Amino acid sequence: LELRNAAIFCLKLLGYNVLISETKNSNDQRISEIKKLIGKSKYGIHDLSRIKCNAKGEIPRFNMPYELGLDIGAKTYGSPAQRKKFILILSHVANEYKIALSDISGQDIKVHHDKPSEIIRCIRDWFSVMMKKKRFPLSEEIYLEYLNFTEALKLNFTGPQINIAKLTVSDY
């Protein structure tokens, strides 16, 4: 969740509205919410680094590759607005995705090495290349702001110790 939080912080700092599926009603199907978000998003960011087992015999989670497929499908077959989508694919190591998801070989997948500073760099640099006319802060500056933000939360929170990993998008 630290990577997710760093990514959300970076996107918010860059001025983007972050749309992420957060269960609002237990009666809702999560995939319906994800499809709605993909349908109205100009940008899609998918981190494939969580396709791994934590214990022997455990089945890996394939939510992110599935969601990436939905996003690529929207870009390929969707409305004219959806066909203009930009998609960033992230991984924690280079080329590991080829084992489970070889069909995306040849895509420009950015590597974050499981480090918040690197996921910030990947996202910032991606937007910087796309938005050539817009000046973005350096990734090192964003990362320092992120560290200051998380430290301020720890110092200024009154009550039980805050669990930064459990922040929702609206908490930023």
Side-chain angles (χ1 to χ4, degrees):
L1 289 174
E2 186 180 16
L3 291 175
R4 181 196 82 129
N5 289 341
I8 292 169
F9 182 87
C10 177
L11 290 163
K12 295 287 253 181
L13 189 131
L14 295 177
Y16 292 95
N17 183 26
V18 177
L19 301 176
I20 189 170
S21 178
E22 295 181 309
T23 304
K24 298 172 191 86
N25 179 348
S26 295
N27 197 36
D28 293 341
Q29 284 191 332
R30 187 171 166 88
I31 191 62
S32 296
E33 174 72 12
I34 290 167
K35 288 191 282 187
K36 285 179 195 171
L37 294 175
I38 286 172
K40 63 183 179 180
S41 299
K42 182 176 180 178
Y43 307 103
I45 299 175
H46 302 275
D47 185 1
L48 301 180
S49 65
R50 300 300 163 242
I51 310 172
K52 57 184 172 185
C53 299
N54 294 324
K56 187 176 180 176
E58 185 179 79
I59 297 172
R61 294 178 46 104
F62 289 106
N63 292 1
M64 276 305 216
Y66 177 67
E67 293 163 20
L68 171 61
L70 290 174
D71 220 359
I72 290 172
K75 181 174 174 52
T76 305
Y77 305 110
S79 68
Q82 290 171 332
R83 289 177 185 221
K84 295 178 184 174
K85 289 183 84 112
F86 295 92
I87 299 173
L88 172 62
I89 305 171
L90 299 163
S91 185
H92 65 301
V93 294
N95 301 320
E96 185 180 63
Y97 62 90
K98 289 180 181 178
I99 297 166
L101 202 57
S102 61
D103 287 348
I104 63 169
S105 293
Q107 300 283 338
D108 187 18
I109 296 173
K110 302 298 181 193
V111 179
H112 57 65
H113 306 288
D114 278 332
K115 295 179 182 175
S117 61
E118 289 295 304
I119 202 164
I120 287 170
R121 181 191 51 75
C122 291
I123 292 169
R124 181 262 177 215
D125 290 355
W126 182 64
F127 276 106
S128 182
V129 167
M130 283 191 308
M131 311 293 191
K132 291 179 173 79
K133 295 181 181 179
K134 189 172 180 182
R135 163 81 171 96
F136 291 107
L138 297 174
S139 60
E140 294 82 2
E141 295 171 319
I142 299 169
Y143 181 62
L144 287 175
E145 288 288 328
Y146 172 70
L147 292 177
N148 290 337
F149 171 76
T150 56
E151 198 55 40
L153 280 175
K154 292 175 191 173
L155 294 174
N156 295 322
F157 191 81
T158 56
Q161 181 62 36
I162 189 168
N163 185 345
I164 295 170
K166 293 189 177 183
L167 293 177
T168 64
V169 172
S170 59
D171 293 326
Y172 286 83

